[in-house]
Amino acid sequence: MSLLSKRVNSLSESITLKLNAKASKMAKDGKKVYNLTAGQLPFRPLPDFVNLLRSESDFLHSFQYSPVAGLPELCEKYISHFEKTRKVSVDREHFSCVVSNGGKHALNNVFASLINEGDEVVMLAPYWISYPQMVKLYGGKPVVVSSNAFDIFIPSVDDIRKSITDKTKLIILNSPNNPSGTHYTSEWMEEFSKVMEDFPNLYVISDEIYFQLYYYDPGPTLYYQKKSELLKRTIVIDGISKTLASTGLRIGFTLASRDVVTALNKLQGQTASGANSLVQRALCQFNFELIDSFLAPIKKHLRSNAEVLGEALRNNKMSHLWYQPKSAFYYLLDFSAAPIREKYNEKDASLVFCEELLEKYGVALVPGTDFGIPNSARISLVSEEKYFKEAAQVIANFLACKQ
Ligand code: PLP
C-alpha cells in the first residue's frame, strides 16, 4: 500500500523547479546562465513599506495570531483600494474580504470550498500552471478553452460559451495573464459579460494579481465594470506578491459575497489560521496609493525589455513570432513557426526546446506545456536590461538555428 495519498500522487511535478535546479547547478559549475524563469520582480519593495514592517515589529501583536479572516482594518482597506482601482463600488452588506497566505493560498481555499466531485471548471489557455492541478485536487474537471499566438492568446468568447455545460460551476479569468503578458480587451469583456448574463448560475474566479501591472494603454478592464451586478457572482483574487514586489511575505486577498467568505473562513480557520500578523499590520498603515508610483519605473523597464525582445526577433527575420505584450511581466514565445521547430519530432516540443536551450546555450525558460500551449516557452521580462539583451539575442539565434 502506498504511503502517499492518491490525491497527491495525481499532482504533476513542477518542470519549472526542475529546470531551475539545473540552471542553478550550471551557474554553480561556473557556466554563464541567463535565468529568465522568474515569476517575481527582482527589486526591493517601497522603503515606506519596509519601514512600516520595521516599526510594526516593535509590537507584541505583530507576533501573535491575527483574526482568521485577517485584520478587519486591512480587509476594509483592500476593499477601498479595489473600489478605487477598478472604479466600482462594493456593497459591504453583501461582500467581504479574506486575507490569506498569498494569492495561491486564496485560490486553493476557493477551490476547496466550492468544488464538488465532477464539477467542471472552465479555464482559458494559456492558464496559470496551478489552476488545473488545484481543480483536480478537489475532484473537479478542468475544461480548457484554448487560444493561440495569432490572436495574442486571447480566447474566443464563443468558444467559452460552447464549453459551458450543466456541470460547469466556475470559469477562471486571469487578465492580465500569466504567461502571455496580455490582458483581454474591453470589447472582449463586454462580450463575456453577456455570457455571464446568459448563465445565471455561473461564478467567475477573477485572478487579478497583475491588475495594476500594465505598461500599454488601454489598461485592463473587467466584465463587472460593464455590468456591476455581475460582481455578485465574482470571486476576486489579489495580493501583494507582484504589485509590491513581495512574493516572500505571503499575503493574498479574496473578495467575494458573504456566503462564500463564510465558507473560506471556516476552511482557513481549520487549516491555516490568519495570515502573517506583522505584514498585515504594516499594510494597515501603508498608503496603497503609492503602488502606482512604485510601479512606474518598473513598467518602463518591462516595456523596454519587451522592445528588446521584439527587436531581437525582427533582426533575425522572425517578426511573425512577435506580438506586443502589455501587462504582467512575461512573453509567451510560440516557436511552432520558427526554423528550430523542424528539428524536433515531438508533437509538443516545449520541454526539449527548453532543455536544449539551457544545456547548450545557458538560457532558462519555462516550457509552455504546463500553461496549456504546446510548442511554446515563457520568457520573464524582469531581468536587468544588458543581461536580458544578451539572453534575447541567444534565444533569437537559437530559434533561427544560427548557432
Ligand atoms: N495567480 C497568478 C496568475 C500568478 O502568476 C501567481 C504567482 O505567480 C499567483 C496567482 C499567486 O501569487 P502569490 O501566491 O505569490 O500571491
Side-chain angles (χ1 to χ4, degrees):
M1 195 170 69
S2 164
L3 171 66
L4 305 178
S5 69
K6 285 187 196 139
R7 217 177 303 114
V8 94
N9 273 336
S10 72
L11 290 176
S12 306
E13 252 188 277
S14 163
I15 298 178
T16 320
L17 288 185
K18 268 193 207 160
L19 282 176
N20 255 322
K22 195 183 266 185
S24 305
K25 186 172 180 308
M26 285 170 63
K28 237 188 205 160
D29 294 344
K31 298 210 171 92
K32 175 91 186 160
V33 171
Y34 298 95
N35 193 335
L36 305 189
T37 64
Q40 60 187 350
L41 292 168
F43 308 113
R44 276 179 70 77
L46 273 167
D48 298 58
F49 180 43
V50 177
N51 288 337
L52 284 167
L53 286 166
R54 280 201 190 99
S55 55
E56 287 301 323
S57 72
D58 283 339
F59 297 97
L60 174 64
H61 281 322
S62 300
F63 297 90
Q64 299 187 312
Y65 289 126
S66 81
V68 169
L71 296 174
E73 310 90 281
L74 180 57
C75 289
E76 174 48 37
K77 204 162 174 174
Y78 174 71
I79 296 177
S80 301
H81 173 71
F82 176 85
E83 289 182 312
K84 271 190 209 137
T85 47
R86 275 61 162 189
K87 300 187 177 62
V88 291
S89 79
V90 175
D91 170 5
R92 282 17 176 215
E93 212 182 300
H94 292 107
F95 289 91
S96 190
C97 162
V98 184
V99 187
S100 300
N101 305 312
K104 193 180 257 186
H105 182 221
L107 279 162
N108 183 65
N109 280 349
V110 172
F111 291 130
S113 303
L114 299 189
I115 295 179
N116 284 320
E117 196 73 32
D119 284 345
E120 293 181 359
V121 179
V122 174
M123 52 192 76
L124 317 179
Y127 44 71
W128 185 46
I129 292 179
S130 299
Y131 300 148
Q133 297 296 324
M134 288 199 223
V135 167
K136 282 195 262 180
L137 191 64
Y138 297 107
K141 185 177 161 218
V143 173
V144 176
V145 174
S146 209
S147 67
N148 56 57
F150 300 108
D151 295 323
I152 316 183
F153 294 115
I154 299 181
S156 124
V157 176
D158 266 350
D159 289 349
I160 297 176
R161 192 181 276 279
K162 285 181 205 142
S163 74
I164 299 170
T165 71
D166 51 5
K167 290 196 182 134
T168 309
K169 187 153 216 177
L170 293 163
I171 297 187
I172 311 173
L173 288 194
N174 172 223
S175 171
N177 180 268
N178 173 7
S180 72
T182 54
H183 45 271
Y184 306 154
T185 61
S186 177
E187 296 74 35
W188 190 98
M189 286 293 173
E190 187 74 53
E191 283 303 301
F192 183 77
S193 71
K194 291 180 194 150
V195 176
M196 286 286 289
E197 284 182 321
D198 292 344
F199 295 93
N201 295 325
L202 208 58
Y203 272 72
V204 171
I205 297 179
S206 181
D207 182 346
E208 301 178 15
I209 201 120
Y210 297 97
F211 184 81
Q212 287 180 276
L213 248 171
Y214 66 93
Y215 49 88
Y216 250 87
D217 284 328
T221 46
L222 273 309
Y223 59 94
Y224 55 73
Q225 293 170 315
K226 316 277 176 195
K227 296 186 178 89
S228 61
E229 68 279 8
L230 296 178
L231 191 58
K232 288 201 186 104
R233 287 190 277 130
T234 302
I235 297 158
V236 178
I237 303 292
D238 206 340
I240 63 166
S241 282
K242 313 294 171 173
T243 44
L244 272 177
S246 298
T247 47
L249 296 184
R250 311 309 303 136
I251 292 287
F253 301 106
T254 309
L255 175 73
S257 56
R258 284 195 177 265
D259 51 341
V260 173
V261 164
T262 304
L264 298 177
N265 282 342
K266 195 160 73 167
L267 179 74
Q268 184 158 298
Q270 295 293 8
T271 56
S273 298
N276 186 319
S277 295
L278 171 65
V279 185
Q280 287 195 66
R281 286 170 57 94
L283 284 170
C284 281
Q285 310 294 326
F286 178 66
N287 177 3
F288 277 48
E289 285 182 14
L290 294 177
I291 293 177
D292 271 342
S293 52
F294 170 61
L295 290 178
I298 292 173
K299 290 177 178 189
K300 220 171 132 202
H301 170 67
L302 295 172
R303 194 181 162 120
S304 155
N305 273 357
E307 271 165 29
V308 163
L309 180 63
E311 211 173 280
L313 292 176
R314 277 192 297 278
N315 291 346
N316 287 278
K317 299 195 173 51
M318 279 176 300
S319 320
H320 59 292
L321 304 189
W322 175 246
Y323 65 88
Q324 178 62 58
K326 296 179 173 170
S327 46
F329 35 71
Y330 314 101
Y331 184 84
L332 189 63
L333 177 71
D334 174 340
F335 60 82
S336 53
I340 188 81
R341 177 69 186 98
E342 287 161 29
K343 255 181 85 169
Y344 306 119
N345 294 322
E346 289 81 355
K347 202 160 165 243
D348 175 9
S350 304
L351 183 59
V352 277
F353 171 90
C354 289
E355 278 174 344
E356 189 177 351
L357 181 60
L358 176 60
E359 281 159 15
K360 289 202 183 142
Y361 306 106
V363 178
L365 305 180
V366 182
T369 313
D370 289 348
F371 299 114
I373 300 290
N375 300 307
S376 72
R378 188 189 74 178
I379 301 174
S380 171
L381 301 176
V382 300
S383 307
E384 184 266 312
E385 191 162 340
K386 184 171 170 287
Y387 175 95
F388 187 80
K389 204 170 191 166
E390 288 169 12
Q393 194 49 55
V394 178
I395 296 170
N397 287 342
F398 182 63
L399 287 164
C401 295
K402 273 194 185 165
Q403 273 117 340

